[in-house]
Amino acid sequence: MSVFLRGGIAGGFHLRSRVSSAVITKRRISSVGAVTGRSVNPAAAIEQRATWLPGLEPPPYLDGKLAGDYGFDPLGLGEDPKSLKWYVQAELVHARFAMLGVAGILFTDLLRTTGISNLPVWYEAGATKFDFASTKTLIVVQFLLMGFAETKRYMDFVSPGSQAAEGTFFGLEAALEGLEPGYPGGPLLNPLGLAKDIKSAHDWKLKEIKNGRLAMMAMLGFFVQASVTHTGPIDNLVEHLSNPWHKTIIQTLFTSAS
């Protein structure tokens, strides 16, 4: 009986605190609307306050409209509107490359460690020679294909929609139709038809950039792992799980330093 009574009292206090917080928040939002003379959407007002450091006022040029904007720009790189647009595209491309890189490293490393395939560790894969083509041939082909794709992407950034114009890509423009700079579409690049209305697809953009930032941090971790342990991430994970109290990043760094 006393257990249920304590639980009821605790639940009552918790509910009252949540209601009080909601009332205070609503009053603050209402006061903002009264001062500015405009109606304020509570959800939008609360969302705009989300910053990378709670309580920190974001810079004025980061107004929360960009996907993943939490006011983080300590170096002031986005003060120039033109530079900000370019940095947004650069981050998006790096995030996508990082997501592909992390997936590729983990998949091939899993095949290698389980003995399914005799693949090199990821940081030595670039020095591997293949039988079907020479290294110079592969480099030339990569430069041509990547150069063409990056040129098309840059031209679409400079002049949005120009690369979807008829006659710009051998009649395949409809299959590669861009939704907006940085977000290509069509059946080839968007086969599932996700985010067809890209201008209002804020949730999809937010999920992508969050996962991309996480992947960039993971790639940084892979680089540090390879430099310190000279093994792949799956090997490091297996070693850690075999002795989780003594095989950690702290012990590894101290051992390598000494």
Side-chain angles (χ1 to χ4, degrees):
M1 183 69 178
S2 60
V3 174
F4 287 106
L5 181 60
R6 286 198 300 268
I9 294 174
F13 277 117
H14 179 64
L15 178 61
R16 187 171 64 181
S17 64
R18 292 188 63 182
V19 171
S20 300
S21 299
V23 171
I24 293 173
T25 303
K26 186 175 181 181
R27 286 176 179 173
R28 288 177 179 174
I29 294 172
S30 300
S31 63
V32 172
V35 172
T36 58
R38 295 177 296 179
S39 60
V40 179
N41 184 357
I46 293 174
E47 183 181 358
Q48 288 179 359
R49 294 176 185 169
T51 57
W52 68 279
L53 185 62
L56 182 68
E57 185 177 353
Y61 52 85
L62 296 179
D63 53 7
K65 294 180 180 179
L66 296 172
D69 175 13
Y70 294 100
F72 181 78
D73 188 17
L75 300 180
L77 300 177
E79 292 182 359
D80 181 17
K82 292 183 179 180
S83 298
L84 179 60
K85 289 182 179 180
W86 176 252
Y87 285 134
V88 168
Q89 295 299 315
E91 183 188 34
L92 188 60
V93 172
H94 282 82
R96 289 168 177 171
F97 271 115
M99 287 188 284
L100 289 173
V102 168
I105 289 173
L106 292 178
F107 180 70
T108 56
D109 214 42
L110 187 62
L111 294 178
R112 181 183 62 83
T113 54
T114 55
I116 297 176
S117 180
N118 187 23
L119 294 170
V121 67
W122 70 270
Y123 52 83
E124 294 179 353
T128 304
K129 294 184 178 181
F130 299 95
D131 297 331
F132 62 87
S134 66
T135 303
K136 293 181 180 180
T137 302
L138 292 175
I139 292 176
V140 171
V141 172
Q142 181 177 358
F143 267 102
L144 291 175
L145 294 179
M146 290 293 293
F148 175 77
E150 286 299 296
T151 301
K152 296 281 286 184
R153 185 179 68 84
Y154 178 74
M155 291 173 67
D156 196 59
F157 170 77
V158 174
S159 180
S162 62
Q163 301 309 297
E166 186 177 356
T168 57
F169 191 60
F170 311 110
L172 300 175
E173 299 82 14
L176 301 168
E177 184 178 1
L179 302 175
E180 69 176 48
Y183 295 94
L188 291 180
L189 299 178
N190 189 14
L192 300 180
L194 301 175
K196 287 187 176 181
D197 185 10
I198 195 64
K199 295 187 181 300
S200 59
H202 183 77
D203 290 340
W204 286 105
K205 292 180 179 179
L206 182 60
K207 290 177 182 178
E208 181 184 35
I209 199 62
K210 280 185 175 182
N211 282 279
R213 288 168 178 171
L214 181 62
M216 286 189 282
M217 294 302 297
M219 284 300 304
L220 178 61
F222 289 169
F223 289 142
V224 175
Q225 276 184 328
S227 176
V228 175
T229 66
H230 306 290
T231 56
I234 301 298
D235 290 320
N236 289 142
L237 178 61
V238 171
E239 186 179 8
H240 169 67
L241 294 177
S242 65
N243 191 0
W245 297 107
H246 298 91
K247 297 294 183 180
T248 64
I249 185 174
I250 297 176
Q251 276 88 358
T252 302
L253 290 174
F254 274 115
T255 302
S256 61
S258 59

